[in-house]
Amino acid sequence: MCKTVIKDVLKIGQYVSLFHGFKHCSLSCWKVNLRPSLKSFADSKRFSSKIALYLAPSIFPSTLTSFPVPAEEKHPQSMMLPPPYLTVGMVEVYSVTVDCTVTSCFAHTVMTSKAFNKANSSQEILFEVELPKTAFITNFSMEIEGQVYVGEVKEKEKAKKHQPVFSQSLVMSGLLGVCLLLLWGCACLWLSSSASGALVISRHNEAIQERRGAARSLQRRSTNEAMVEVYSVTVDCTVTSRFAHTVMTSKAFNKANSSQEILFEVELPKTAFITNFSMEIEGQVYVGEVKEKEKAKKQYEKAVSSGQTAGLVKASGRKMEKFSVSVNIAAESNVTFVLTYEELLQRKLGRYELLTRVKPKTLVQDFQIVTNIYEPQGISYVDAHATFLSNELLPLVEKTVTDRKAHISFSPTMEQQRKCPGCDGTLIDGDFIVSYDVKREKNLGDIQIVNGYFVHFFAPELPKLPKNVVFVIDISGSMSGRKIVQTREAMLAILQQVHEDDHFAIILFDSVIETWKDSLTKATKENITEAMDYIRRINSRGMTNVNDAVLKAVNMLVKDRQMERLPERSADMIILLTDGMPNEGESNIGKIQENVRTAIGGNMSLYCLGFGNDVDYSFLDVMSRQNKGLARRIFEASDAVVQLQGFYDEVASPLLLEVDMHYPDNAVDSLTISHFSQLFNGTEIVVAGHLMDNDLDNILVEVVGQGLEEDFRVQGQVSAADWDVFYPDEEYIFGDFTERLWAYLTIQQLLEKSKSGTPDEKANTTAKALDMSLQYSFVTPLTSMVVTKPETEDSTSSTLIADKLTEEQRQQAEKMTYNYIPAQSYPRHYQPAPTYFVDGDPHFMIELPDRGDALCFNINDKPGTIFNLVRDSNSGILVNGEIIGDKKTPPDGKINTYFWRFGIVHQTLGVRLEVSTEDISLFQDGKWVKLLWSDAASIKGSNVDLLVTKDRSLTVTLRDSVKFVILLHKVWKKHPYHRDYLGFYTLDSHLLSPGVHGLLGQFYHGINYEVADLHPGKVPEKPDATMYVKGQELNVTRGWQRDFRGDVKNGENVPCWFIHNNGTGLIDGHLLKAKRQEAVAELAATQAALKVLQEIECEQQELESLEEEDRKRIALQEEENVARKKALEEAQTNRALTDC
């Protein structure tokens, strides 16, 4: 039977994907039988080969078990898009002819296509042909219901007036035919003409006119890239007493004789606030306006639904945010974009850093970066470098430094920007970084008074205090793999840096709490060595009990204080490292925060490090701020060790505790935070406020705190600096910097304060932050920058929106993509990677964060079909998925299909995993292990790690390879139609080989496409456009798909371009020779495997038969022995009686 099946498959000649894990001879027969939605008979042939490329005959034999399902309904998984153009099998293309006549090297070609709509309703028919680019179209006509519509050649500019909407699709009523005729001529000689023309087809049917517009126009597509010249990019930054004001300007020119879409894209630090954005087009300036975010929300949603970029600000790496906006510019016109943002530079590790990211992507005639730094306190050093600086570009960085001013500039010519002689690529692509520090001669610090506001910078040079630190380390199952390895490496490095005057302790936690020693230990050389040996032995296991672990650390510090084991003048701190949600012991995060706050009682600092994207950063952030600390995200990447070490370096050297900054109550109001729990070496305290008397030019200042040997106290009278004396030759261009610095700092602190407290306190704090954001035109998480794009003859006006992301929103965005950072030298920057998944009915999504865009498509087929999602022959990884349909046909007649079962194989590692909606089965090391969704579980194997979040998700991490996440969607058990189903998400796709393929795998190494010709679609909120991809032009529609990783119940809408007709034109459809050979080789291997299995089965049966015979023989011998023994005993008894 098995051999017959394999022969049938070989005869079909399709690319079949098989698992190499069969149980005896359970391979089922199959043949391709597809009738997809097609635009022509030729497409039908192509589509069959495309889909057959991704079909698989089986997953794994499995035994399914049932478990209770909560009574909740599945939310509809709609793409929020109109249905596909064609009903399956209802359009017949019954004639395609190409008639070409060549006369004296002049070719005249006529292509005719005839189709019939068999449905009882209208259908959309797409006529699509390809012609040589040297050919000229001479005519196009359509015959519908006996009426012929003939094209007319017109001047292009006149034809524009007839072009409100354009589509090559045609809507045809039921049971009707259509004939389409296209003619072109091609001469052997090149013809040149300065005139530009268009072919216009008028149609008189009113119904069709209303639906598709009065005229259609077929035009040659222009090359946008060559027609737009970005001729100027300048970055002008002014830093005045640490407050940076940056203006980024870009100028472009549309050289084409038609309008072009021009993109302005910049990246700015996440700590900065956008203060203005403007566009100057044909002499008219369009200026942004800062509005309350809720009021701008409707404009934002409208912009997104219309397919506009909407000027969205998106996360870009760890430190940056990307602002992008596109605008349609008329022919031979200029546009100037100007973006302004401000930020207060923070001192870290003894320096300030000003980072500017520049990515012009083209050679620029006028490229310039200029930075001017004004520091009345005096500049101690300045350094400038860039990630893209070569030995040739390095001398172009000009630096002039005086006592109180520094000027840095970088302005390469176009030739100096080139990657190589004669090529158009640019070397300018990366970060330009200016770092500096100021002189510190006074312990009182530096105070600037300008226009009724003051700012006080305090960073004295003092001996450091000893510290008492308890490291609380999460070793739960989710920390397995690279995380636990990196944690070990980081802790080993940190322990070597612990000062000999410090005391330390180590607490490990999963389901249980484990301490290295019962109390803190002085950091002697012997104790450090012993602790490092202990760290080397830690491994991941169990659940996550955050509450008891932190309380244990608090109790340890409190007890040692009571026993006077710690220095009186020393800093107590707890450093918590965790990567997941509490799921053991106390799991309510509000209760945990309350417990920790009560236990600490303001007597120590808690620092929380959130490892990876699964951690609840908001929970850690609030808990840290409640306890004199802060939270920091540790990105799951190759440099995680460096991140952990870097954080420890920042808090390793406390100088003062309980620092208070005092100012006269009768002279100063509106103070920012003036009490600080600790001051660390290399950092700086900044306080700003308003002077009640604007004419007041001096104030009394006092600073107190707890130092190493005694209390620190310093005071003095401070006067306003005379800027005209410091900078006599400078025009004062930033005179209100103290007020804006005060506003910036106040808003930042109000936003942090709004995360905790009572509901009324949160509301009041938020309201104050909003009022100040609007007053000073700062784009904060509470406001948005709104710009109205001008209306042109080719596009209507629309609204652009710029928002500010919170750290939680950045984390949520990163959950949609796995962030990988290759090892590199300082500075390090992470680039988000694309995300690929399939979820719902079934919706495939390719997210491309580098483009700020996404592509999506559906694959519709009958229930029971098995698709190949990922196949990487080089690494031996294979993923198949089987779809299931509704329980019965719903009233609307549409049966939804979903993935309900996945099979994952890593042939090299010997791993096989089957995941269904009911259970999870893993085969590794020669045995099967079964898990249920109803239980949280963590398995760490030699080659694969599994993490099950109860009734929610499964994370599969293959050793040194890719990671998959499978989501469980549970449906009400008594739902009349729907069933439970699964979603499949790929992380770490960059670790697969370039030869990876499959419905998802083919996109893992990128896809090039372009979207143009945006026009109204069937639904007003969902416009259509033309996509140029893989040498084809596709009609696509703007829609949404939902990513369920953050919210498995409701999901998060992600805008995407929807490719119709089962992804036709997007997914690969060529049955390559290598694929065929691979399929044949795999089938041959399957035959051999089946033969071996049969031989093993026979040998097993023979062995069992021999064993059974042995058992019978032994049993018979035992019976005979018992009988002989009994007979002997009877004989002995009889002999004894005879003797008597």
Side-chain angles (χ1 to χ4, degrees), residues 54-238:
Y54 309 106
L55 294 178
S58 64
I59 293 190
F60 282 118
S62 64
T63 303
L64 304 180
T65 57
S66 60
F67 60 95
V69 180
E72 60 178 294
E73 291 210 13
K74 187 193 85 170
H75 289 254
Q77 303 304 302
S78 172
M79 274 294 301
M80 303 173 66
L81 290 166
Y85 287 138
L86 306 180
T87 304
V88 176
M90 290 293 101
V91 172
E92 177 187 358
V93 180
Y94 60 89
S95 175
V96 174
T97 60
V98 181
D99 187 354
C100 182
T101 303
V102 182
T103 307
S104 296
C105 202
F106 192 82
H108 176 86
T109 303
V110 181
M111 300 192 72
T112 307
S113 179
K114 299 179 181 181
F116 179 69
N117 178 14
K118 299 186 291 184
N120 55 9
S121 60
S122 63
Q123 298 288 327
E124 185 105 351
I125 294 183
L126 178 65
F127 174 64
E128 182 179 81
V129 299
E130 296 183 22
L131 59 152
K133 67 179 182 179
T134 55
F136 290 154
I137 295 175
T138 59
N139 188 36
F140 175 72
S141 65
M142 300 181 294
E143 181 181 346
I144 306 174
E145 301 180 59
Q147 187 163 352
V148 179
Y149 303 89
V150 182
E152 177 185 358
V153 178
K154 291 186 177 182
E155 182 183 349
K156 182 174 287 187
E157 291 302 316
K158 292 182 180 179
K160 279 185 177 180
K161 299 178 181 179
H162 297 278
Q163 194 187 0
V165 178
F166 171 63
S167 172
Q168 293 108 320
S169 299
L170 172 68
V171 178
M172 186 170 69
S173 302
L175 301 176
L176 293 178
V178 61
C179 175
L180 300 105
L181 182 68
L182 178 67
L183 299 89
W184 76 70
C186 179
C188 293
L189 300 177
W190 287 99
L191 302 178
S192 63
S193 174
S194 59
S196 179
L199 181 64
V200 177
I201 305 166
S202 299
R203 307 202 314 187
H204 306 290
N205 185 303
E206 284 187 3
I208 297 178
Q209 283 182 351
E210 292 176 3
R211 185 178 180 119
R212 289 297 180 190
R216 310 283 175 109
S217 175
L218 293 171
Q219 299 185 2
R220 285 179 178 268
R221 178 169 162 251
S222 62
T223 306
N224 295 348
E225 294 81 357
M227 293 293 99
V228 174
E229 177 189 1
V230 180
Y231 62 89
S232 177
V233 173
T234 62
V235 181
D236 189 352
C237 182
T238 302

Side-chain angles (χ1 to χ4, degrees), residues 548-653:
D548 292 353
V550 177
L551 293 183
K552 179 67 175 178
V554 174
N555 293 334
M556 190 179 289
L557 280 165
V558 170
K559 183 179 178 181
D560 282 2
R561 279 288 181 191
Q562 293 173 345
M563 301 295 291
E564 298 182 353
R565 296 171 181 162
L566 306 176
E568 181 180 355
R569 289 183 177 271
S570 59
D572 296 344
M573 64 179 68
I574 299 169
I575 298 179
L576 167 67
L577 172 65
T578 182
D579 78 326
M581 290 287 292
N583 55 16
E584 179 78 9
E586 181 59 66
S587 58
N588 183 290
I589 60 177
K591 185 63 175 175
I592 295 173
Q593 290 169 342
E594 180 184 345
N595 292 343
V596 172
R597 188 174 189 177
T598 301
I600 288 179
N603 296 317
M604 60 194 71
S605 299
L606 172 64
Y607 298 95
C608 296
L609 305 180
F611 205 151
N613 272 328
D614 295 328
V615 71
D616 187 337
Y617 179 79
S618 178
F619 157 59
L620 299 180
D621 187 35
V622 171
M623 188 164 66
S624 296
R625 296 186 186 282
Q626 289 176 340
N627 297 284
K628 299 182 177 182
L630 56 86
R632 181 74 56 84
R633 290 183 59 201
I634 302 300
F635 294 83
E636 189 177 347
S638 60
D639 70 338
V641 174
V642 178
Q643 296 176 61
L644 291 166
Q645 285 182 256
F647 172 80
Y648 179 78
D649 290 342
E650 292 179 31
V651 300
S653 301

Side-chain angles (χ1 to χ4, degrees), residues 675-834:
H675 173 79
F676 302 87
S677 302
Q678 59 272 316
L679 170 65
F680 295 102
N681 187 38
T683 64
E684 184 175 59
I685 287 175
V686 183
V687 180
H690 174 252
L691 300 177
M692 296 180 184
D693 183 357
N694 286 345
D695 297 328
L696 187 67
D697 61 359
N698 66 86
I699 56 174
L700 179 66
V701 177
E702 182 183 43
V703 181
V704 298
Q706 299 175 16
L708 173 61
E709 297 179 352
E710 59 184 6
D711 288 345
F712 175 87
R713 183 181 298 272
V714 61
Q715 65 178 7
Q717 195 80 20
V718 180
S719 302
D722 191 340
W723 284 70
D724 292 332
V725 175
F726 290 154
Y727 308 105
D729 300 326
E730 297 291 339
E731 181 181 354
Y732 194 56
I733 58 173
F734 206 24
D736 62 345
F737 84 91
T738 48
E739 181 178 357
R740 296 192 65 80
L741 188 155
W742 164 80
Y744 174 95
L745 197 57
T746 301
I747 292 170
Q748 290 275 32
Q749 292 174 357
L750 288 172
L751 292 172
E752 291 172 1
K753 189 177 178 181
S754 66
K755 297 177 182 178
S756 57
T758 65
D760 289 342
E761 290 173 343
K762 290 181 180 179
N764 292 334
T765 305
T766 301
K768 290 179 183 177
L770 173 60
D771 289 342
M772 290 190 65
S773 299
L774 295 172
Q775 180 183 350
Y776 290 92
S777 295
F778 283 136
V779 177
T780 71
L782 305 175
T783 57
S784 298
M785 174 75 71
V786 180
V787 186
T788 300
K789 244 171 64 168
E791 181 177 353
T792 67
E793 62 180 26
D794 295 325
S795 65
T796 60
S797 63
S798 60
T799 301
L800 306 172
I801 305 293
D803 287 329
K804 181 69 179 175
L805 302 177
T806 64
E807 194 63 33
E808 290 76 16
Q809 289 170 330
R810 292 175 67 87
Q811 182 187 16
Q812 184 63 32
E814 287 154 14
K815 283 184 178 180
M816 297 163 59
T817 176
Y818 187 72
N819 310 313
Y820 172 74
I821 309 171
Q824 53 184 321
S825 59
Y826 179 86
R828 296 171 172 83
H829 303 286
Y830 115 98
Q831 295 296 332

Side-chain angles (χ1 to χ4, degrees), residues 78-82 300-301 303-308 843-847 852-858 1011 1014-1015 1017 1019-1025 1027 1035-1043 1052-1060:
S78 172
M79 274 294 301
M80 303 173 66
L81 290 166
Y300 161 76
E301 292 173 345
V304 172
S305 65
S306 65
Q308 303 296 327
H843 306 312
F844 289 78
M845 173 73 89
I846 301 101
E847 295 185 52
D853 206 354
L855 308 179
C856 48
F857 60 93
N858 294 349
V1011 177
L1014 189 72
H1015 52 270
V1019 180
E1021 294 80 14
K1022 303 171 184 66
D1024 285 353
M1027 176 177 288
N1035 186 67
V1036 296
T1037 302
R1038 193 65 173 176
W1040 292 270
Q1041 174 58 284
R1042 280 189 277 179
D1043 186 331
E1052 179 181 358
N1053 284 337
V1054 179
C1056 62
W1057 289 109
F1058 181 73
I1059 293 85
H1060 299 274

